[in-house]
Amino acid sequence: MKKISLLLLLLFSFTVSSYSQLVLVDKQQGEDVFPVVTSASKSVVCYDRSDEESVKKTVKLFVEDVERVTGKRLELKEKMPSGKDVILVGMIGKNKYINQLVAQGKLDISPIKNGWEQYVITIINNPFAGVGKALVIAGCDRRGTSYGLFSVSEAIGVSPWYWWADAPVVKKKELRLQVNTIASKEPSVKYRGIFINDEDWGLKPWASKVFEPEIGDIGPKTYAKICELLLRLKANYLCPAMHSCTKAFNHYPKNKLVADSFAIVMGSVHCEPLLFNNASEWDRSTMGEWNYVKNRDGINKVLRKRVQENGKFENVYTLAMRGIHDAVMAGNLLLEEQARVLEKAFDDQRNILESEISKPANQIPQAFTPYKEVLETYDHGMVLPDDVTIVWSEDDFGYIKRLSNSEERKRSGRSGVYYHVSYWGPPKHYLWIATTPPALMYEELEKAYRATADRLWVVNVGDIKPAEYHITLFMDMAYDIERFNFNNINTHSVDFLCRMFGEEYREDLSDIQQTYFQLAFARKPEYMERSTDTEFSIQNYREADKRLAAYERISAKAEAILNKLDKEAVPAFFQLVYYNVKGAALVNQMTLNAQKNRLYASQKRSAANLLRSRVKAYGDSLEIITKRYNSLLNGKWQGMMSLIHGGARSFERARTDSVSLSPVPTLGVSCEAADNMKGVSNVHVIPCFNKYLPQSYYVDVFNSGMGKLKWKAVPSDPWILVNKKSGATYSEERINVSVDWSKVPVGESVSGSIDISSGSGEKQTVFVSVFNPETPSVEELKGLYVENNGYVSIDATGFHRKREDANIKFDVVEGLGFDNKVMRLGDAFAKTPYLDGLILTSNYVAPVRGDKYPVLEYDFYSFQTGPVDVYTYMMPIFPLDNEHGSRYGVMVDNSPVYLPEAGATYYSTPWIQSVLRNCRINKTTHFINKPGKHTVKIYCAHPGMMLQKIVVDFGGLKRSYMGPETTRIN
């Protein structure tokens, strides 16, 4: 049944694809049905020997794909066979049979003629004498031809990740394709590919010791697998590994031949001019200093040689002159001097290209990436040739620093994007597992595309694994960005997984994927501090407990699916889902329970010692599943997965404390929200109960000694409810306290207590406060956000009113934010009236009058007056370009409007704090002059900013990482 459901899923998934019209069918006959393999016959694959090498390679791989599915091997023929159905594959102009069909009017290639990476797939009946049917795959160029044939491979059930992620292949005895003629459109982005980076931790150890031990490096055999993957993903561009631990790509002459045989365009990243890897190819002892000012001729000599060696192949040439590897330009130059040096260096590099390739420079693909400090140099008046593609980078953490402004969008070279889903560098690395939210990638990359970034997209993928899904998403968007929108981006990863593992798991996979990305949005697993406390609160708002419970839920679901799958699918699921989810859960469980251990130790809880053992077990489990990953399929991926990254010498375990216990059972009490009590209060108090938001709070009864502690809890009043009145524990028990609102007295200062005593006569009192005013009634405030324990917490998407105009529309965007949904304050490219009416370089403007400006309004009810701090939780999005800002307006009632910024200067303290939590938290102070109903207003200033939540603090807000949950009365 599992295999049947998976087959049905495969059929469905290719039916609904927006660009594929190939469907596996059971029906025997039909003009639109082509029998690839039946019980009685096998089609023949026909190609032309004079075709491109990459096409011939793809044809052979396709034959292997059919064999993977059916166990039967199709014949390969150069001469058209008679009496057989034929799969005819070739490039227009290179394949004589396709040329003949075109000349005879049997094959219409007009939609793709003179195109870029396009293909036609169609069935032609009686195409040649003796041939009943031909499935024709014709490409306008070599990659277009391969893309067309590999789309057939996907239709029969072979994933691009069949090798790199061991995606299961469903076996079938027969293959019949229903084909509606396809004429593919040009890819959205011209050059689309990956940058292999920080390969020290996974790809290099694996390739050198397991896959390619004969050379002990990442060499031609590894690059052949990488290039095949890219071609199957409809990608076309590769920036190779460049760390000094790996010999340079061009050190092995076969590497460039392998890349060209798969039609992969070679490039290099921001610091590698003209395909030259200065990290490992520059020899200071023989070549001098890597300093353009002092050693211009020496540098140009090696660059010229590289173009001579590689110029006959298809490349995109990077114009660059930074320091060695990822360092700043040598010479300690001023920005003005750096700009002039870059201009001269680029002139030299373009002259080298012209002279060695014998083409005008503007006909040779070139790119310039103003990465890190180079962006400041570029913005300092550097002149760049108009035909060079500007490749804008994000801040290494997912947010593009700037895009082309109104003038730059007119450039003939247009622009591109350099994006990270893996990164080594400050403020923290994330090299272990891939957790960038798909919605963030779409939001930033689609915005870039609209700002003319349609020439080159490259994504830093680290070791390739475990970024399999993110590579797929990146390439799918680059190939056809119009397939995507905010409504379907969050189902893409689930569709990706369901195609491999079955539609029956969709509901659980949706929960797993959504929660996995949501939890990592708040804090990536790599950022969970092991030796110090995180900002997640153990005692306030049950923040840590909720996070741990969510991880426990999705890791249990992942394990349940793993145990249900057929054994052929287990390795892929382990790599693509289970290890990521379980690994993230274990890191959080280890870290947060260690934090809880240290808190408990300070309180002298015996449970601290139990937690210490549990924390060790989580760390042990993490090492065990990592070993299991590396041992999959008899060690196929041995060395690929490691818990040691970024230069660490060992896997960092969480720090724990132990506690010396009293020899006899000893009573201890701790209340919810009662952190940091030393020197603050000696009284146990739980948060005040509020009739508008009925809820419960907890009291922990714990043992600070050895032996069994017997205890009992006695409320002072019948309206105080406890779920446990007595017990006995060696460690701790939690009492949930609530209120019987039918019995509680009316009043604003109702109080009571709970006496907790032990069998040995110890006694501690927990004080209970209730806010139960006679008016207003709960019904009167229904739908409003209400003050609770000195704060109001507002969900950004739960506005009461919005005022939009023709340009500014407010949208709910799911898949982002602490609560998995945010409010987008207008489209980033929209025109806003603020630019005419207000000076947006200021932090403050006068009160806004009238109804001119787009605004979101949130109503809340307060019981206090005086100054209030309003915290706005924003996504840390940079300004669209250097002609825009990232400001938004905050107003309470009729206060002045404050204009904080969502973005922050790269490498500034606010930026560091913001990118680690994917949230810029800004505070503005306002004044409320009377109790009652009030309104927070959020104005769109610079459009495109995204609001996560709002918290109004009357003085009761407790320390936490994500702030309290909403206080709306439903």
Side-chain angles (χ1 to χ4, degrees), residues 395 397-400 444 521 874-879 886 901-904 910-911 913-920 945-946 948:
D395 62 352
F397 294 85
Y399 300 93
I400 299 176
E444 291 291 285
F521 177 91
M874 306 295 296
M875 285 183 57
I877 295 172
F878 285 89
S886 64
E901 294 181 89
W911 172 81
Q913 294 172 336
S914 299
V915 294
L916 293 180
R917 73 201 308 155
N918 280 306
C919 185
R920 174 79 186 269
M945 300 303 107
M946 292 193 173
Q948 300 193 45

PDB file of all heavy atoms in Angstrom, residues 395 397-400 444 521 874-879 886 901-904 910-911 913-920 945-946 948:
ATOM      1  N   ASP A 395      23.211  39.905   4.081  1.00  0.00           N
ATOM      2  CA  ASP A 395      24.087  40.174   5.231  1.00  0.00           C
ATOM      3  C   ASP A 395      24.662  38.899   5.832  1.00  0.00           C
ATOM      4  O   ASP A 395      25.115  38.898   6.973  1.00  0.00           O
ATOM      5  CB  ASP A 395      23.329  40.963   6.297  1.00  0.00           C
ATOM      6  CG  ASP A 395      22.128  40.203   6.850  1.00  0.00           C
ATOM      7  OD1 ASP A 395      21.792  39.129   6.312  1.00  0.00           O
ATOM      8  OD2 ASP A 395      21.524  40.682   7.828  1.00  0.00           O
ATOM      9  N   PHE A 397      22.968  36.444   6.674  1.00  0.00           N
ATOM     10  CA  PHE A 397      21.939  35.863   7.539  1.00  0.00           C
ATOM     11  C   PHE A 397      20.546  35.940   6.906  1.00  0.00           C
ATOM     12  O   PHE A 397      19.551  35.791   7.595  1.00  0.00           O
ATOM     13  CB  PHE A 397      21.954  36.549   8.902  1.00  0.00           C
ATOM     14  CG  PHE A 397      23.218  36.284   9.666  1.00  0.00           C
ATOM     15  CD1 PHE A 397      24.346  37.057   9.469  1.00  0.00           C
ATOM     16  CD2 PHE A 397      23.310  35.229  10.563  1.00  0.00           C
ATOM     17  CE1 PHE A 397      25.529  36.803  10.146  1.00  0.00           C
ATOM     18  CE2 PHE A 397      24.488  34.963  11.246  1.00  0.00           C
ATOM     19  CZ  PHE A 397      25.600  35.748  11.036  1.00  0.00           C
ATOM     20  N   GLY A 398      20.504  36.178   5.595  1.00  0.00           N
ATOM     21  CA  GLY A 398      19.245  36.069   4.884  1.00  0.00           C
ATOM     22  C   GLY A 398      18.615  37.358   4.418  1.00  0.00           C
ATOM     23  O   GLY A 398      17.630  37.325   3.682  1.00  0.00           O
ATOM     24  N   TYR A 399      19.163  38.524   4.806  1.00  0.00           N
ATOM     25  CA  TYR A 399      18.543  39.807   4.484  1.00  0.00           C
ATOM     26  C   TYR A 399      19.449  40.588   3.524  1.00  0.00           C
ATOM     27  O   TYR A 399      20.576  40.943   3.886  1.00  0.00           O
ATOM     28  CB  TYR A 399      18.291  40.611   5.764  1.00  0.00           C
ATOM     29  CG  TYR A 399      17.372  39.898   6.729  1.00  0.00           C
ATOM     30  CD1 TYR A 399      17.888  39.096   7.741  1.00  0.00           C
ATOM     31  CD2 TYR A 399      15.994  40.008   6.605  1.00  0.00           C
ATOM     32  CE1 TYR A 399      17.049  38.417   8.613  1.00  0.00           C
ATOM     33  CE2 TYR A 399      15.145  39.344   7.477  1.00  0.00           C
ATOM     34  CZ  TYR A 399      15.678  38.537   8.475  1.00  0.00           C
ATOM     35  OH  TYR A 399      14.843  37.869   9.334  1.00  0.00           O
ATOM     36  N   ILE A 400      18.962  40.831   2.330  1.00  0.00           N
ATOM     37  CA  ILE A 400      19.772  41.499   1.310  1.00  0.00           C
ATOM     38  C   ILE A 400      20.033  42.943   1.725  1.00  0.00           C
ATOM     39  O   ILE A 400      19.102  43.686   2.056  1.00  0.00           O
ATOM     40  CB  ILE A 400      19.078  41.431  -0.060  1.00  0.00           C
ATOM     41  CG1 ILE A 400      18.911  39.962  -0.482  1.00  0.00           C
ATOM     42  CG2 ILE A 400      19.889  42.183  -1.107  1.00  0.00           C
ATOM     43  CD1 ILE A 400      18.147  39.765  -1.766  1.00  0.00           C
ATOM     44  N   GLU A 444      12.877  37.838   0.043  1.00  0.00           N
ATOM     45  CA  GLU A 444      14.069  38.584  -0.335  1.00  0.00           C
ATOM     46  C   GLU A 444      14.433  38.381  -1.806  1.00  0.00           C
ATOM     47  O   GLU A 444      14.796  39.334  -2.501  1.00  0.00           O
ATOM     48  CB  GLU A 444      15.238  38.170   0.555  1.00  0.00           C
ATOM     49  CG  GLU A 444      15.088  38.618   2.005  1.00  0.00           C
ATOM     50  CD  GLU A 444      15.211  40.125   2.165  1.00  0.00           C
ATOM     51  OE1 GLU A 444      16.333  40.638   2.091  1.00  0.00           O
ATOM     52  OE2 GLU A 444      14.168  40.787   2.353  1.00  0.00           O
ATOM     53  N   PHE A 521      13.554  30.032  13.234  1.00  0.00           N
ATOM     54  CA  PHE A 521      13.468  31.461  12.941  1.00  0.00           C
ATOM     55  C   PHE A 521      13.772  32.261  14.204  1.00  0.00           C
ATOM     56  O   PHE A 521      14.530  33.230  14.182  1.00  0.00           O
ATOM     57  CB  PHE A 521      12.069  31.805  12.422  1.00  0.00           C
ATOM     58  CG  PHE A 521      11.864  33.276  12.149  1.00  0.00           C
ATOM     59  CD1 PHE A 521      12.122  33.799  10.897  1.00  0.00           C
ATOM     60  CD2 PHE A 521      11.401  34.144  13.141  1.00  0.00           C
ATOM     61  CE1 PHE A 521      11.941  35.156  10.638  1.00  0.00           C
ATOM     62  CE2 PHE A 521      11.221  35.487  12.903  1.00  0.00           C
ATOM     63  CZ  PHE A 521      11.490  35.997  11.636  1.00  0.00           C
ATOM     64  N   MET A 874      10.035  43.899  14.854  1.00  0.00           N
ATOM     65  CA  MET A 874      10.105  43.969  13.394  1.00  0.00           C
ATOM     66  C   MET A 874      11.068  42.919  12.854  1.00  0.00           C
ATOM     67  O   MET A 874      12.015  42.512  13.531  1.00  0.00           O
ATOM     68  CB  MET A 874      10.589  45.355  12.946  1.00  0.00           C
ATOM     69  CG  MET A 874       9.803  46.514  13.495  1.00  0.00           C
ATOM     70  SD  MET A 874       8.097  46.560  12.909  1.00  0.00           S
ATOM     71  CE  MET A 874       8.325  46.825  11.156  1.00  0.00           C
ATOM     72  N   MET A 875      10.849  42.513  11.615  1.00  0.00           N
ATOM     73  CA  MET A 875      11.883  41.728  10.949  1.00  0.00           C
ATOM     74  C   MET A 875      13.001  42.678  10.538  1.00  0.00           C
ATOM     75  O   MET A 875      12.728  43.808  10.105  1.00  0.00           O
ATOM     76  CB  MET A 875      11.315  40.991   9.744  1.00  0.00           C
ATOM     77  CG  MET A 875      10.470  39.804  10.154  1.00  0.00           C
ATOM     78  SD  MET A 875       9.860  38.847   8.750  1.00  0.00           S
ATOM     79  CE  MET A 875      11.382  38.402   7.928  1.00  0.00           C
ATOM     80  N   PRO A 876      14.264  42.259  10.666  1.00  0.00           N
ATOM     81  CA  PRO A 876      15.388  43.188  10.432  1.00  0.00           C
ATOM     82  C   PRO A 876      15.712  43.353   8.952  1.00  0.00           C
ATOM     83  O   PRO A 876      16.806  43.032   8.477  1.00  0.00           O
ATOM     84  CB  PRO A 876      16.532  42.521  11.193  1.00  0.00           C
ATOM     85  CG  PRO A 876      16.225  41.064  11.137  1.00  0.00           C
ATOM     86  CD  PRO A 876      14.718  40.956  11.191  1.00  0.00           C
ATOM     87  N   ILE A 877      14.758  43.877   8.213  1.00  0.00           N
ATOM     88  CA  ILE A 877      14.895  44.042   6.768  1.00  0.00           C
ATOM     89  C   ILE A 877      15.644  45.335   6.465  1.00  0.00           C
ATOM     90  O   ILE A 877      15.367  46.386   7.053  1.00  0.00           O
ATOM     91  CB  ILE A 877      13.506  44.046   6.105  1.00  0.00           C
ATOM     92  CG1 ILE A 877      12.844  42.673   6.283  1.00  0.00           C
ATOM     93  CG2 ILE A 877      13.591  44.417   4.635  1.00  0.00           C
ATOM     94  CD1 ILE A 877      11.401  42.634   5.828  1.00  0.00           C
ATOM     95  N   PHE A 878      16.571  45.260   5.532  1.00  0.00           N
ATOM     96  CA  PHE A 878      17.317  46.445   5.110  1.00  0.00           C
ATOM     97  C   PHE A 878      16.462  47.301   4.181  1.00  0.00           C
ATOM     98  O   PHE A 878      15.493  46.814   3.590  1.00  0.00           O
ATOM     99  CB  PHE A 878      18.592  46.021   4.379  1.00  0.00           C
ATOM    100  CG  PHE A 878      19.683  45.515   5.268  1.00  0.00           C
ATOM    101  CD1 PHE A 878      19.752  44.175   5.602  1.00  0.00           C
ATOM    102  CD2 PHE A 878      20.640  46.375   5.785  1.00  0.00           C
ATOM    103  CE1 PHE A 878      20.754  43.694   6.420  1.00  0.00           C
ATOM    104  CE2 PHE A 878      21.652  45.907   6.609  1.00  0.00           C
ATOM    105  CZ  PHE A 878      21.715  44.573   6.925  1.00  0.00           C
ATOM    106  N   PRO A 879      16.827  48.556   4.009  1.00  0.00           N
ATOM    107  CA  PRO A 879      16.157  49.372   2.995  1.00  0.00           C
ATOM    108  C   PRO A 879      16.267  48.727   1.620  1.00  0.00           C
ATOM    109  O   PRO A 879      17.235  48.010   1.328  1.00  0.00           O
ATOM    110  CB  PRO A 879      16.925  50.693   3.051  1.00  0.00           C
ATOM    111  CG  PRO A 879      17.483  50.759   4.429  1.00  0.00           C
ATOM    112  CD  PRO A 879      17.806  49.338   4.783  1.00  0.00           C
ATOM    113  N   SER A 886      14.210  52.275   6.132  1.00  0.00           N
ATOM    114  CA  SER A 886      13.469  51.140   6.711  1.00  0.00           C
ATOM    115  C   SER A 886      12.616  51.609   7.886  1.00  0.00           C
ATOM    116  O   SER A 886      12.417  50.881   8.842  1.00  0.00           O
ATOM    117  CB  SER A 886      14.440  50.051   7.164  1.00  0.00           C
ATOM    118  OG  SER A 886      15.276  50.518   8.209  1.00  0.00           O
ATOM    119  N   GLU A 901      13.649  52.476  13.028  1.00  0.00           N
ATOM    120  CA  GLU A 901      14.086  51.751  11.844  1.00  0.00           C
ATOM    121  C   GLU A 901      13.998  50.247  12.082  1.00  0.00           C
ATOM    122  O   GLU A 901      14.373  49.749  13.148  1.00  0.00           O
ATOM    123  CB  GLU A 901      15.521  52.118  11.478  1.00  0.00           C
ATOM    124  CG  GLU A 901      15.683  53.550  11.035  1.00  0.00           C
ATOM    125  CD  GLU A 901      17.125  53.861  10.654  1.00  0.00           C
ATOM    126  OE1 GLU A 901      17.486  53.661   9.479  1.00  0.00           O
ATOM    127  OE2 GLU A 901      17.882  54.292  11.534  1.00  0.00           O
ATOM    128  N   ALA A 902      13.553  49.532  11.061  1.00  0.00           N
ATOM    129  CA  ALA A 902      13.544  48.070  11.144  1.00  0.00           C
ATOM    130  C   ALA A 902      14.927  47.511  10.850  1.00  0.00           C
ATOM    131  O   ALA A 902      15.360  46.538  11.458  1.00  0.00           O
ATOM    132  CB  ALA A 902      12.523  47.488  10.166  1.00  0.00           C
ATOM    133  N   GLY A 903      15.617  48.121   9.908  1.00  0.00           N
ATOM    134  CA  GLY A 903      16.962  47.691   9.566  1.00  0.00           C
ATOM    135  C   GLY A 903      17.990  48.315  10.489  1.00  0.00           C
ATOM    136  O   GLY A 903      17.687  49.190  11.297  1.00  0.00           O
ATOM    137  N   ALA A 904      19.215  47.842  10.364  1.00  0.00           N
ATOM    138  CA  ALA A 904      20.312  48.380  11.172  1.00  0.00           C
ATOM    139  C   ALA A 904      21.596  48.293  10.369  1.00  0.00           C
ATOM    140  O   ALA A 904      21.745  47.437   9.488  1.00  0.00           O
ATOM    141  CB  ALA A 904      20.452  47.609  12.486  1.00  0.00           C
ATOM    142  N   PRO A 910      22.986  46.800  17.050  1.00  0.00           N
ATOM    143  CA  PRO A 910      21.582  46.448  16.784  1.00  0.00           C
ATOM    144  C   PRO A 910      21.443  45.382  15.697  1.00  0.00           C
ATOM    145  O   PRO A 910      20.575  44.513  15.784  1.00  0.00           O
ATOM    146  CB  PRO A 910      20.956  47.778  16.339  1.00  0.00           C
ATOM    147  CG  PRO A 910      21.821  48.819  16.960  1.00  0.00           C
ATOM    148  CD  PRO A 910      23.205  48.253  16.940  1.00  0.00           C
ATOM    149  N   TRP A 911      22.299  45.432  14.683  1.00  0.00           N
ATOM    150  CA  TRP A 911      22.228  44.412  13.632  1.00  0.00           C
ATOM    151  C   TRP A 911      22.566  43.038  14.192  1.00  0.00           C
ATOM    152  O   TRP A 911      21.877  42.053  13.926  1.00  0.00           O
ATOM    153  CB  TRP A 911      23.177  44.768  12.490  1.00  0.00           C
ATOM    154  CG  TRP A 911      23.290  43.672  11.467  1.00  0.00           C
ATOM    155  CD1 TRP A 911      22.422  43.400  10.454  1.00  0.00           C
ATOM    156  CD2 TRP A 911      24.325  42.676  11.383  1.00  0.00           C
ATOM    157  NE1 TRP A 911      22.851  42.294   9.738  1.00  0.00           N
ATOM    158  CE2 TRP A 911      24.018  41.837  10.285  1.00  0.00           C
ATOM    159  CE3 TRP A 911      25.480  42.418  12.119  1.00  0.00           C
ATOM    160  CZ2 TRP A 911      24.824  40.756   9.921  1.00  0.00           C
ATOM    161  CZ3 TRP A 911      26.285  41.348  11.754  1.00  0.00           C
ATOM    162  CH2 TRP A 911      25.962  40.535  10.667  1.00  0.00           C
ATOM    163  N   GLN A 913      22.332  41.927  17.250  1.00  0.00           N
ATOM    164  CA  GLN A 913      21.252  41.462  18.111  1.00  0.00           C
ATOM    165  C   GLN A 913      20.030  41.033  17.295  1.00  0.00           C
ATOM    166  O   GLN A 913      19.328  40.087  17.657  1.00  0.00           O
ATOM    167  CB  GLN A 913      20.864  42.567  19.095  1.00  0.00           C
ATOM    168  CG  GLN A 913      21.964  42.896  20.105  1.00  0.00           C
ATOM    169  CD  GLN A 913      21.633  44.119  20.938  1.00  0.00           C
ATOM    170  OE1 GLN A 913      20.846  44.977  20.521  1.00  0.00           O
ATOM    171  NE2 GLN A 913      22.221  44.212  22.121  1.00  0.00           N
ATOM    172  N   SER A 914      19.805  41.728  16.198  1.00  0.00           N
ATOM    173  CA  SER A 914      18.596  41.485  15.407  1.00  0.00           C
ATOM    174  C   SER A 914      18.681  40.229  14.558  1.00  0.00           C
ATOM    175  O   SER A 914      17.718  39.458  14.470  1.00  0.00           O
ATOM    176  CB  SER A 914      18.305  42.692  14.513  1.00  0.00           C
ATOM    177  OG  SER A 914      18.088  43.857  15.294  1.00  0.00           O
ATOM    178  N   VAL A 915      19.831  40.000  13.886  1.00  0.00           N
ATOM    179  CA  VAL A 915      19.878  38.863  12.959  1.00  0.00           C
ATOM    180  C   VAL A 915      19.913  37.536  13.702  1.00  0.00           C
ATOM    181  O   VAL A 915      19.451  36.517  13.174  1.00  0.00           O
ATOM    182  CB  VAL A 915      21.072  38.952  11.986  1.00  0.00           C
ATOM    183  CG1 VAL A 915      20.901  40.136  11.062  1.00  0.00           C
ATOM    184  CG2 VAL A 915      22.399  38.994  12.713  1.00  0.00           C
ATOM    185  N   LEU A 916      20.428  37.529  14.929  1.00  0.00           N
ATOM    186  CA  LEU A 916      20.474  36.267  15.657  1.00  0.00           C
ATOM    187  C   LEU A 916      19.080  35.817  16.085  1.00  0.00           C
ATOM    188  O   LEU A 916      18.837  34.626  16.266  1.00  0.00           O
ATOM    189  CB  LEU A 916      21.386  36.390  16.884  1.00  0.00           C
ATOM    190  CG  LEU A 916      22.871  36.597  16.572  1.00  0.00           C
ATOM    191  CD1 LEU A 916      23.673  36.695  17.863  1.00  0.00           C
ATOM    192  CD2 LEU A 916      23.417  35.485  15.696  1.00  0.00           C
ATOM    193  N   ARG A 917      18.156  36.762  16.220  1.00  0.00           N
ATOM    194  CA  ARG A 917      16.787  36.405  16.615  1.00  0.00           C
ATOM    195  C   ARG A 917      15.782  36.724  15.511  1.00  0.00           C
ATOM    196  O   ARG A 917      14.574  36.604  15.718  1.00  0.00           O
ATOM    197  CB  ARG A 917      16.406  37.107  17.915  1.00  0.00           C
ATOM    198  CG  ARG A 917      16.136  38.594  17.785  1.00  0.00           C
ATOM    199  CD  ARG A 917      16.261  39.361  19.094  1.00  0.00           C
ATOM    200  NE  ARG A 917      15.482  38.778  20.155  1.00  0.00           N
ATOM    201  CZ  ARG A 917      15.760  38.935  21.460  1.00  0.00           C
ATOM    202  NH1 ARG A 917      16.829  39.639  21.818  1.00  0.00           N
ATOM    203  NH2 ARG A 917      14.999  38.417  22.383  1.00  0.00           N
ATOM    204  N   ASN A 918      16.279  37.150  14.345  1.00  0.00           N
ATOM    205  CA  ASN A 918      15.395  37.524  13.231  1.00  0.00           C
ATOM    206  C   ASN A 918      14.357  38.548  13.671  1.00  0.00           C
ATOM    207  O   ASN A 918      13.203  38.512  13.219  1.00  0.00           O
ATOM    208  CB  ASN A 918      14.707  36.290  12.643  1.00  0.00           C
ATOM    209  CG  ASN A 918      15.615  35.529  11.707  1.00  0.00           C
ATOM    210  OD1 ASN A 918      16.169  36.084  10.768  1.00  0.00           O
ATOM    211  ND2 ASN A 918      15.802  34.253  11.977  1.00  0.00           N
ATOM    212  N   CYS A 919      14.761  39.450  14.513  1.00  0.00           N
ATOM    213  CA  CYS A 919      13.807  40.421  15.035  1.00  0.00           C
ATOM    214  C   CYS A 919      14.544  41.669  15.513  1.00  0.00           C
ATOM    215  O   CYS A 919      15.494  41.575  16.291  1.00  0.00           O
ATOM    216  CB  CYS A 919      13.015  39.811  16.190  1.00  0.00           C
ATOM    217  SG  CYS A 919      11.710  40.872  16.823  1.00  0.00           S
ATOM    218  N   ARG A 920      14.102  42.818  15.050  1.00  0.00           N
ATOM    219  CA  ARG A 920      14.589  44.101  15.563  1.00  0.00           C
ATOM    220  C   ARG A 920      13.515  44.631  16.515  1.00  0.00           C
ATOM    221  O   ARG A 920      12.381  44.909  16.118  1.00  0.00           O
ATOM    222  CB  ARG A 920      14.806  45.091  14.416  1.00  0.00           C
ATOM    223  CG  ARG A 920      15.173  46.518  14.842  1.00  0.00           C
ATOM    224  CD  ARG A 920      16.626  46.646  15.228  1.00  0.00           C
ATOM    225  NE  ARG A 920      16.942  47.972  15.768  1.00  0.00           N
ATOM    226  CZ  ARG A 920      17.368  49.010  15.044  1.00  0.00           C
ATOM    227  NH1 ARG A 920      17.503  48.886  13.726  1.00  0.00           N
ATOM    228  NH2 ARG A 920      17.650  50.156  15.624  1.00  0.00           N
ATOM    229  N   MET A 945       8.409  46.866   5.120  1.00  0.00           N
ATOM    230  CA  MET A 945       8.804  46.407   6.448  1.00  0.00           C
ATOM    231  C   MET A 945       7.772  45.401   6.970  1.00  0.00           C
ATOM    232  O   MET A 945       6.607  45.435   6.576  1.00  0.00           O
ATOM    233  CB  MET A 945       8.928  47.593   7.409  1.00  0.00           C
ATOM    234  CG  MET A 945       9.969  48.635   6.965  1.00  0.00           C
ATOM    235  SD  MET A 945      11.617  47.953   6.737  1.00  0.00           S
ATOM    236  CE  MET A 945      11.765  47.956   4.942  1.00  0.00           C
ATOM    237  N   MET A 946       8.206  44.539   7.875  1.00  0.00           N
ATOM    238  CA  MET A 946       7.330  43.476   8.360  1.00  0.00           C
ATOM    239  C   MET A 946       7.263  43.488   9.878  1.00  0.00           C
ATOM    240  O   MET A 946       8.285  43.395  10.562  1.00  0.00           O
ATOM    241  CB  MET A 946       7.810  42.119   7.862  1.00  0.00           C
ATOM    242  CG  MET A 946       7.650  41.954   6.357  1.00  0.00           C
ATOM    243  SD  MET A 946       7.850  40.246   5.850  1.00  0.00           S
ATOM    244  CE  MET A 946       7.397  40.363   4.111  1.00  0.00           C
ATOM    245  N   GLN A 948       6.021  41.918  13.472  1.00  0.00           N
ATOM    246  CA  GLN A 948       5.718  40.629  14.086  1.00  0.00           C
ATOM    247  C   GLN A 948       4.722  40.754  15.234  1.00  0.00           C
ATOM    248  O   GLN A 948       3.777  39.994  15.332  1.00  0.00           O
ATOM    249  CB  GLN A 948       7.011  39.988  14.620  1.00  0.00           C
ATOM    250  CG  GLN A 948       8.061  39.733  13.569  1.00  0.00           C
ATOM    251  CD  GLN A 948       9.165  38.839  14.090  1.00  0.00           C
ATOM    252  OE1 GLN A 948       8.895  37.831  14.736  1.00  0.00           O
ATOM    253  NE2 GLN A 948      10.411  39.190  13.818  1.00  0.00           N
TER     254      GLN A 948
END
